[in-house]
Amino acid sequence: MPIQFYRMKKCCCWILFYLPFYLFSQTVNDRLAKAINLLEADIQFKHAAIGMYVVETKTAKIIFEKNAEMGLVLASCQKLITSAAAFGLLGNNYRFKTELGYDGTIADGILNGNLFIRGYGDPTLGSWRWPDTKAQVIMKNSTDAVLLKGIKKINGNIASFTGNWESNSTPGGWVWEDIGNYYGAGASAINWRENQYDLMLKAGNAIGDAVSITGMKPILKDVELSSELTTAAKGSGDNAYIYLAPNSTHGLVSGTIPVGENNFVIAGAMPAPDKQLINELADALNEKNISLVSNQQGSISSLKTFLPDDSKILLHIQSPPLDSINYWFLKKSINLYGEAFVKAIAFEKDKFGSLEKGIELIKDFCSKNGIEKSAIHILDGSGLSPANRVTTKALVTVLQYAKQQSWFASFYNALPQMNGIKMKDGYIGGVRSYTGFIQSKNGATYSFSFIINNFDGSAATVREKMWKVLDVLK
């Protein structure tokens, strides 16, 4: 009898210990179900597709699921897949490289040959985000390297070697409206200043007046933009779009900017970043009194097969480590970095920087870590294409995989903090997505993904409604 009483007491204690967590889990499930039901009843989501998947991070126990196996457009939440794959396949200390060298011979301070820049896709070359990657630092180091070799005159061109990566910089499926703007900058073998430039605009004094282009920084040589912009109401914001295809020299700017703006700045995507780098290097050499004797001074000669002798490399340039690049990739959602990661994976594993091969390798990587390939249909590394489709369950599985890795702290630290939650957000037309980790008041941590496609009306109100649902997990 005493033994039975002891066993009963022990059993009761076990139940009492776990009951609160069990009841809380049930309550969270119920609350989420109610919140999602209310969302579905909202007129703004009458024609929308809603997907949500939530697990308890430590145990991977499913807390809630709604259309968890439905492929949805996920926008920038796709960056989490690219980030995890880059960490897993390249390593957190991986560095991109760029080389400055020459061909021909040097005699009496004259280079009878060409300077060349050999690129391996470094997306940080010329970036303002790190002290050592800034454009002025790269220019100084490059001209110093030329002078150190005793070169005072170049009887040839400055050329680029881009044969390590495919020539097409822009992923298929990207929207024409995006491609000419800074967030639509594709990744090339040679990237420069994050392939971005600023365009200065001046609005008219009345609604409907023409908007003029007043400046460009840096100036893109041989590129002409015409303005079809008009002036809109005060406070209407930036509704200006640049239409300029890769490697093209003519484009236009259309849309509107607010009335009375005298120095309104929008950012565009460089059509030929390697050409821009060459032109800036030619100017920097000229400032150091290093003359460039050529019929096409500062012009680009894109070399596809020529591979100069490694002994003639003047300067080796390295990017910051991958974990540092990834910080800005996730924190500021830089699409260029994602596309560079995909092609770098292909180059390191297959010796050629191909987007198609990089995506194939990422899908293989996901498959080996518990994600069905059929759950991931992607055309790029950044999520900018509206043709991408991924399930919320796949995204949460990526989070769960990352949680077990040695580089997780870097991954987690790079996630933006919003609404009191560490999560990546995504937004393109008709799409809102959030994926990340929520710390609840009871001490549990949840891994979640929440995506809505094809909503109606304001994206800002969708954000507030989605955050309200996520608050249930706090």
Side-chain angles (χ1 to χ4, degrees), residues 53 59 95 108 114 119 192 195 208 223 232 243 247 252 282 302 364 375 387-388 391 426 429:
Y53 192 66
T59 64
R95 293 176 186 264
D108 300 322
N114 306 299
W192 179 241
N195 299 348
V223 172
Y243 295 89
N247 298 310
L252 63 88
S302 186
D364 287 342
N388 295 315
T391 69

Side-chain angles (χ1 to χ4, degrees), residues 283-300:
D283 290 340
L285 291 168
N286 185 59
E287 289 178 5
K288 294 289 186 178
N289 296 316
I290 303 171
S291 59
L292 181 64
V293 182
S294 169
N295 293 329
Q296 296 179 316
Q297 182 171 334
S299 68
I300 182 173

Side-chain angles (χ1 to χ4, degrees), residues 389-436:
R389 298 290 187 277
V390 176
T391 69
T392 53
K393 183 178 180 180
L395 285 170
V396 171
T397 305
V398 168
L399 297 183
Q400 292 297 95
Y401 161 79
K403 187 71 174 64
Q404 307 303 318
Q405 307 308 310
S406 60
W407 41 261
F408 176 69
S410 295
F411 180 88
Y412 182 82
N413 186 48
L415 291 174
Q417 179 91 15
M418 58 189 79
N419 189 37
I421 303 170
K422 290 287 283 185
M423 60 182 177
K424 187 74 192 79
D425 63 324
Y427 169 60
I428 55 178
V431 175
R432 274 282 191 190
S433 61
Y434 297 96
T435 302

Side-chain angles (χ1 to χ4, degrees), residues 163-429:
N164 294 312
W165 281 25
E166 64 186 354
S167 57
N168 185 13
S169 63
T170 307
W174 278 18
V175 178
W176 173 227
E177 188 177 61
D178 294 335
I179 291 171
N181 300 281
Y182 75 95
Y183 55 88
S188 303
I190 295 177
N191 302 296
W192 179 241
R193 295 180 182 264
E194 297 194 0
N195 299 348
Q196 180 176 325
Y197 67 96
D198 289 338
L199 196 65
M200 280 65 79
L201 307 171
K202 183 177 180 180
N205 295 320
I207 295 174
D209 283 354
V211 173
S212 58
I213 298 172
T214 59
M216 184 185 290
K217 186 177 180 180
I219 296 172
L220 304 183
K221 188 176 180 180
D222 299 325
V223 172
E224 294 182 6
L225 293 173
S226 59
S227 174
E228 294 183 359
L229 288 161
T230 57
T231 304
K234 189 175 182 64
S236 57
D238 178 2
N239 292 296
Y241 294 90
I242 301 171
Y243 295 89
L244 181 64
N247 298 310
S248 62
T249 57
H250 293 79
L252 63 88
V253 192
S254 67
T256 65
I257 66 171
V259 66
E261 293 284 352
N262 293 322
N263 190 30
F264 197 86
V265 180
I266 63 173
M270 290 181 182
D274 51 350
K275 182 176 181 179
Q276 181 65 24
L277 172 56
I278 285 173
N279 288 331
E280 291 187 35
L281 180 56
D283 290 340
L285 291 168
N286 185 59
E287 289 178 5
K288 294 289 186 178
N289 296 316
I290 303 171
S291 59
L292 181 64
V293 182
S294 169
N295 293 329
Q296 296 179 316
Q297 182 171 334
S299 68
I300 182 173
S301 176
S302 186
L303 307 173
K304 300 297 181 183
T305 57
F306 175 60
L307 196 63
D309 187 342
D310 284 348
S311 67
K312 294 183 177 181
I313 302 298
L314 299 173
L315 181 65
H316 294 272
I317 303 169
Q318 283 194 322
S319 75
L322 186 140
D323 60 354
S324 183
I325 302 173
N326 181 74
Y327 175 85
W328 292 108
F329 174 48
L330 295 185
K331 191 73 72 176
K332 294 298 182 181
S333 213
I334 304 170
N335 294 329
L336 168 67
Y337 290 4
E339 305 314 322
F341 284 171
V342 174
K343 292 182 179 180
I345 289 169
F347 176 76
E348 294 299 332
K349 305 300 180 182
D350 200 48
K351 304 306 179 186
F352 183 69
S354 157
L355 177 68
E356 182 179 0
K357 183 63 178 182
I359 289 173
E360 178 187 329
L361 289 166
I362 289 174
K363 294 184 74 172
D364 287 342
F365 169 82
C366 288
S367 179
K368 292 175 183 176
N369 289 284
I371 302 172
E372 293 178 281
K373 286 186 178 182
S374 59
I376 301 178
H377 291 287
I378 56 177
L379 298 179
D380 61 24
S382 62
L384 187 59
S385 172
N388 295 315
R389 298 290 187 277
V390 176
T391 69
T392 53
K393 183 178 180 180
L395 285 170
V396 171
T397 305
V398 168
L399 297 183
Q400 292 297 95
Y401 161 79
K403 187 71 174 64
Q404 307 303 318
Q405 307 308 310
S406 60
W407 41 261
F408 176 69
S410 295
F411 180 88
Y412 182 82
N413 186 48
L415 291 174
Q417 179 91 15
M418 58 189 79
N419 189 37
I421 303 170
K422 290 287 283 185
M423 60 182 177
K424 187 74 192 79
D425 63 324
Y427 169 60
I428 55 178

Side-chain angles (χ1 to χ4, degrees), residues 21 24 28 32 52-58 63-64 396 399-400 403 408 412 415-424 434-450 466-474:
F21 179 76
F24 181 81
V28 169
L32 280 175
M52 191 176 198
Y53 192 66
V54 184
V55 303
E56 203 279 322
T57 304
K58 186 176 182 180
I63 300 299
F64 181 82
V396 171
L399 297 183
Q400 292 297 95
K403 187 71 174 64
F408 176 69
Y412 182 82
L415 291 174
Q417 179 91 15
M418 58 189 79
N419 189 37
I421 303 170
K422 290 287 283 185
M423 60 182 177
K424 187 74 192 79
Y434 297 96
T435 302
F437 302 93
I438 294 180
Q439 186 75 39
S440 72
K441 292 178 181 177
N442 78 324
T445 301
Y446 300 109
S447 305
F448 75 91
S449 182
F450 186 17
M466 292 180 75
W467 284 7
K468 189 174 181 180
V469 173
L470 293 174
D471 285 344
V472 172
L473 290 167
K474 293 181 178 178

Side-chain angles (χ1 to χ4, degrees), residues 98-102 111 115-118 125-126 132-151 154 158 192 277-278 280-286 288 290 313-318:
T98 307
E99 297 164 338
L100 175 68
Y102 68 97
L111 169 61
L115 279 181
F116 69 84
I117 303 166
R118 180 159 56 186
L125 191 69
D132 294 340
T133 64
K134 292 181 178 179
Q136 58 268 36
V137 174
I138 301 298
M139 287 294 111
K140 182 181 185 306
N141 292 342
S142 298
T143 54
D144 285 352
V146 173
L147 288 170
L148 187 63
K149 195 66 178 178
I151 299 172
I154 301 170
I158 305 176
W192 179 241
L277 172 56
I278 285 173
E280 291 187 35
L281 180 56
D283 290 340
L285 291 168
N286 185 59
K288 294 289 186 178
I290 303 171
I313 302 298
L314 299 173
L315 181 65
H316 294 272
I317 303 169
Q318 283 194 322

